[in-house]
Amino acid sequence: MIGSHTLSRFMFRPWRHRELLLTLIEREVAGRYRGSIVGILWSFLNPLLMLLVYTFVFSVLFKVRWESASDSKPQFALLVFTGMLVFNLFSECLVQAPGLILNHANYVKKVVFPLQILPCVMLGAALFQTLVGFIVWLVFHLLVFGLPPLTTLLFPLVLLPLVLFTLGLSWLLSALGVYLRDIGQVIGVLMSALMLLSGVFYPVNALPAIYQHWLYMNPLTLVIESSRDVLIWGVVPDFGPWLGQLTVAGIVAVLGRAWFEKSRQGFADVL
C-alpha cells in the first residue's frame, strides 16, 4: 500500500500552487476557443456533434444493441455518450502529455515556476470538458427520460481512480516526451486503438467470453462499465474492484511524479 506521507509528498504538493493552478486552467480553457465565433459554446457543441455521428453509425448502420436496453435511439445515445465522457478524459490528457513540456519550454528556464503543475493544468482543463459533457448528458436525460437514478451521485467516485491514473501517466509521458520526441506519435496510434477496444460503442458482454477477459485488461473498460451502471442502470458499483483500481492508480501516480521529478533536471539541457 502507498503510505500517506508518500502520497502527500508526490501528489498534494501542487495544491500549494492552487491559485496559479486555477489561473492556468482558466487560461487553458479560454485559450482553446479564443478567436472562434461561437467561443466556449464549442465545448457543448463538439460532444453533441460527435454523439450524433457515432450514434448513427453504430445504432443505425451496424445496429449494435445492449441486451438490457430498449431499442430507443436516445438510450443508445446516452450509453455511447457515457463511454465517450470517460474515454475523452483519458485520451485528451495522454495525447497532449508528450508535448506538454516542449510546448512550454519557456517555463523550464524559470527556476521559480513549478513545472510539476503543468500536467495538473492539462488534467483540470480535461475535467472541465468532462463536466460540460456531463451537463449535456444530464439535460438530455432529463428531457427524454426524466430524473436519472440516484446512483448518478457516485459518478465522481467512479472517475477518481481514472483521474489519478491519468495524472500519473501524464507526468510520466510529459517527461519522456522531452527526450523521446516520437512518443507522441505512438500515443496517438494507441488512443485510436483504445477507442475501439474499451467498449465505448458496444457492450462488453456482446463479445465472446475469451475476448471479454482481454478487454477488461484495458484500464478504461471497467471505468466505462461502472459509469454506465451508476448513470443509466442505477446499479451501485462493486467497491472491491474499485479499491483495486484506486490502489493501482495511486501507485502509477506516485511513480509518474517521481519519474518527472528525476527527469526534470535534464530538461534545460535538452531544450
Side-chain angles (χ1 to χ4, degrees):
M1 295 293 291
I2 303 172
S4 59
H5 176 72
T6 305
L7 274 174
S8 177
R9 179 184 176 189
F10 287 104
M11 298 299 301
F12 301 138
R13 279 168 58 186
W15 184 248
R16 294 184 305 173
H17 308 286
R18 56 187 176 276
E19 293 183 4
L20 175 62
L21 180 62
L22 292 174
T23 300
L24 291 177
I25 291 174
E26 182 180 351
R27 184 186 301 176
E28 174 70 18
V29 172
R32 295 183 182 188
Y33 308 103
R34 186 179 296 117
S36 64
I37 297 176
V38 181
I40 200 169
L41 189 59
W42 277 115
S43 63
F44 289 90
L45 293 177
N46 281 332
L48 281 176
L49 292 174
M50 295 309 298
L51 174 62
L52 292 175
V53 172
Y54 289 139
T55 301
F56 174 76
V57 170
F58 286 90
S59 69
V60 178
L61 298 184
F62 292 167
K63 299 187 183 301
V64 180
R65 293 290 182 270
W66 262 261
E67 290 183 3
S68 53
S70 65
D71 289 334
S72 71
K73 297 298 187 295
Q75 188 172 51
F76 186 91
L78 285 178
L79 287 161
V80 173
F81 198 19
T82 301
M84 288 172 60
L85 284 176
V86 175
F87 176 80
N88 287 341
L89 171 62
F90 183 73
S91 177
E92 182 177 340
C93 292
L94 263 65
V95 167
Q96 294 183 65
L100 189 61
I101 303 300
L102 298 175
N103 294 333
H104 296 84
N106 56 313
Y107 290 157
V108 174
K109 303 295 178 66
K110 297 179 180 179
V111 180
V112 297
F113 187 85
L115 288 176
Q116 70 272 14
I117 73 170
L118 288 178
C120 300
V121 171
M122 179 180 61
L123 178 61
L127 284 170
F128 171 80
Q129 185 61 51
T130 302
L131 175 61
V132 171
F134 175 71
I135 292 173
V136 171
W137 181 96
L138 185 60
V139 171
F140 188 85
H141 196 288
L142 287 170
L143 292 175
V144 179
F145 299 106
L147 288 173
L150 190 60
T151 52
T152 299
L153 297 173
L154 295 175
F155 184 47
L157 199 62
V158 170
L159 287 183
L160 179 58
L162 180 65
V163 171
L164 276 178
F165 186 69
T166 302
L167 182 58
L169 288 182
S170 296
W171 270 320
L172 173 66
L173 292 175
S174 61
L176 282 176
V178 176
Y179 304 100
L180 302 174
R181 304 297 173 92
D182 292 338
I183 196 170
Q185 304 300 322
V186 175
I187 295 299
V189 174
L190 287 177
M191 288 302 104
S192 297
L194 278 179
M195 176 178 281
L196 299 176
L197 297 174
S198 301
V200 174
F201 305 115
Y202 54 86
V204 176
N205 58 15
L207 300 176
I210 185 173
Y211 296 117
Q212 292 181 31
H213 172 74
W214 287 104
L215 204 63
Y216 275 114
M217 294 183 69
N218 180 341
L220 291 179
T221 301
L222 187 58
V223 180
I224 290 175
E225 291 292 296
S226 297
S227 298
R228 287 179 178 137
D229 283 342
V230 299
L231 292 178
I232 298 176
W233 310 128
V235 176
V236 176
D238 187 342
F239 284 100
W242 180 85
L243 285 173
Q245 280 187 305
L246 188 63
T247 300
V248 172
I251 293 172
V252 170
V254 169
L255 292 178
R257 175 68 189 277
W259 173 263
F260 184 90
E261 292 296 333
K262 183 176 180 61
S263 302
R264 66 181 295 177
Q265 301 172 10
F267 287 172
D269 295 333
V270 176
L271 297 176

